[in-house]
Amino acid sequence: MLLVSCGGGSGDGAANGGTSAKPTSEAASENARLGSVETDLLALINEERQTVGKPVLVRDPGLDTIMLWKVAEMASTHDLTHEDSNGRKGEERVRYYGAKTTARCSEIIQWWGGSPSGRVHYLGYFNSPPHHSAYLEEGLYNLGGAINVGIAGLSGTGPAGSQYAGSNGSYTGLIICDTGITIAINPFSE
């Protein structure tokens, strides 16, 4: 069971059957943080990037915070979309919370049913041409050799309105940017 979304995304949570609840740091902790999924997923992406001559991605604490907030929002609203409850997509979110108006970013997100590993999430991204292009920075997703990434994985039930609504699973997301950031506005405090 896999649902994926890449790039821009559209619509609001209500249109996709979700709610408009905003995540808090407590809400993020209600869903189990999947540290080994995050670590394994990034290791596999970096292994592939190295085989094609791309630099490895390095976790950025500011981007991690922004991605954790977005994944927590998806898990709490059961909504798989790039547009957050504030109407911002990945790159706009980084520019807003990081006060870095020139940041260029690509965001990839997905939900898997069951108890998937980092490898399962990786294969979901690998087998989806837009996701694959985004993390390899190909075509429309070329950021010029980005090395900064925010990554998060949380347990959560399937997206509302989908055949997986109510099913146990996990959400993952990556935001790859051409620059690291320092959080100017904490997304969990808004």
Side-chain angles (χ1 to χ4, degrees), residues 6-189:
C6 184
S10 63
D12 62 19
N16 293 319
T19 67
S20 60
K22 295 187 186 215
T24 63
S25 55
E26 291 79 31
S29 64
E30 288 173 12
N31 299 82
R33 183 87 188 253
L34 304 173
S36 64
V37 169
E38 296 169 5
T39 301
D40 294 346
L41 173 59
L42 184 58
L44 290 163
I45 286 173
N46 276 335
E47 183 179 312
E48 184 181 356
R49 283 176 61 96
Q50 285 183 298
T51 63
V52 297
K54 300 281 184 181
V56 297
L57 297 171
V58 178
R59 291 183 83 160
D60 177 86
L63 294 174
D64 269 356
T65 298
I66 291 169
M67 197 72 250
L68 177 59
W69 179 85
K70 175 56 182 155
V71 170
E73 180 178 74
M74 291 188 305
S76 68
T77 62
H78 313 289
D79 190 16
L80 186 67
T81 181
H82 287 280
E83 190 169 303
D84 64 30
S85 58
N86 299 309
R88 296 183 195 99
K89 295 180 182 168
E91 187 173 85
E92 298 165 286
R93 200 174 310 116
V94 168
R95 289 176 175 184
Y96 178 79
Y97 293 118
K100 196 87 161 184
T101 59
T102 59
R104 293 177 50 234
C105 306
S106 293
E107 177 179 75
I108 56 177
I109 57 175
Q110 70 180 349
W111 177 85
W112 265 101
S115 300
S117 64
R119 177 168 290 285
V120 169
H121 276 275
Y122 165 76
L123 290 172
Y125 290 134
F126 177 85
N127 289 314
S128 167
H131 287 100
H132 194 241
S133 292
Y135 73 73
L136 289 180
E137 297 181 73
E138 297 173 335
L140 297 174
Y141 304 101
N142 187 346
L143 301 172
I147 62 163
N148 302 284
V149 67
I151 185 169
L154 289 174
S155 61
T157 58
S162 77
Q163 66 186 17
Y164 307 112
S167 299
N168 289 328
S170 58
Y171 293 86
T172 58
L174 288 93
I175 186 96
I176 301 167
C177 298
D178 65 352
T179 184
I181 64 146
T182 300
I183 295 290
I185 301 169
N186 185 341
F188 288 104
S189 67

